[in-house]
Amino acid sequence: MNIWNAEDFYPTPESLLDKITAGIDWRKVGTVLEPSAGKGNIAEYCKRQCKRQTYRDYLDVDCVEINDELQKTLRGKELRVVHDDFLTFHTFKHYDLIIMNPPFSEGDLHLLHAIEMCENGGQIACILNAETLRNPYTNSRRLLAKKLNDVGASIRFINDAFAKAERKAKVDVALVNISI
């Protein structure tokens, strides 16, 4: 399978990562989960940011990726793949930060799962298709809207966020930041 044919595979532009991580204090981040890791752009970005801002050489990063070819790419970059499907991923490990650009077709389910994983504390930084929040026509989208309100999520909308990305798309996104 050609990864570029994967319907929901859109590598995250660094400009979006700069925006979604602007408020993160990397001194308080020791463990990170990237739930839809793709080629590992977000995981590598987090390691660079941590090193640049804290001078630490090590950041404990776990990746989840459903695509076999992308899992091989991640392992080739010496990134740890801990599971294949984020929606079935359960662990006792606590993550200080879950940072994600989930498949837009299931973004609501992925963000709900991340919130559930952080119920005992942690941060979430999520790039979500804006329509997920603007058009809550399903039960899971309505539940997500309620949960985001309950946890006091910060939400910012960016128009045409992937216009200059590696894989271009005309899509508006919501940058969702949560600290529990």
Side-chain angles (χ1 to χ4, degrees), residues 119-134:
E119 65 186 7
N120 293 321
Q123 297 179 75
I124 299 170
C126 179
I127 299 167
L128 197 63
N129 183 335
E131 279 302 301
T132 303
L133 300 179
R134 289 180 176 156

Side-chain angles (χ1 to χ4, degrees), residues 64-112:
V64 174
E65 176 52 52
I66 201 162
N67 180 290
D68 291 337
E69 285 186 44
L70 292 171
Q71 286 179 14
K72 290 176 190 170
T73 299
L74 294 167
R75 288 186 180 106
K77 293 179 175 185
E78 298 183 3
L79 293 168
R80 185 173 49 240
V81 178
V82 295
H83 197 66
D84 56 359
D85 184 353
F86 179 61
L87 295 177
T88 64
F89 178 62
H90 299 281
T91 182
F92 290 106
K93 185 173 183 176
H94 169 79
Y95 293 101
D96 300 317
L97 173 64
I98 298 177
I99 182 166
M100 56 199 301
N101 175 10
F104 284 176
S105 63
E106 295 182 320
D108 52 346
L109 300 176
H110 282 246
L111 186 48
L112 283 166

